[in-house]
Amino acid sequence: MPLPGAIDQDQFANAGVLSQAKRALRIAQADFTPDRLASEISALVAEPARLAAMAEAALPSVARCRERLADLVMKVAGI
């Protein structure tokens, strides 16, 4: 869910990239309601293969983020 107050809407764009790559779902702030969220979660639970494919598709991005975060922590810590 993108941050609605972001000046450049960069989070909305980032979510779109993930959504287009089948790594995530993007829900616009105006559409983000408890019912919509429940509906999306129910749909994913009903399609475990789709959920697994999304998770698998996201793994390379998660690994890169984890490495970048570890590098930043080490740099800040002076290690």
Side-chain angles (χ1 to χ4, degrees):
M1 179 181 78
L3 181 66
I7 295 172
D8 295 331
Q9 294 300 308
D10 52 335
Q11 289 187 355
F12 188 78
N14 290 342
V17 170
L18 294 173
S19 177
Q20 288 175 350
K22 306 291 188 216
R23 296 177 183 173
L25 298 173
R26 178 172 68 171
I27 303 172
Q29 183 68 31
D31 299 329
F32 191 77
T33 64
D35 288 340
R36 172 70 187 272
L37 181 59
S39 174
E40 296 293 349
I41 291 171
S42 294
L44 289 171
V45 169
E47 299 180 67
R50 178 179 172 213
L51 187 57
M54 289 172 71
E56 187 172 332
L59 282 177
S61 294
V62 171
R64 280 192 305 276
C65 290
R66 183 177 47 230
E67 289 171 13
R68 289 175 59 194
L69 180 58
D71 290 344
L72 178 61
V73 168
M74 291 177 70
K75 181 178 179 180
V76 169
I79 299 173

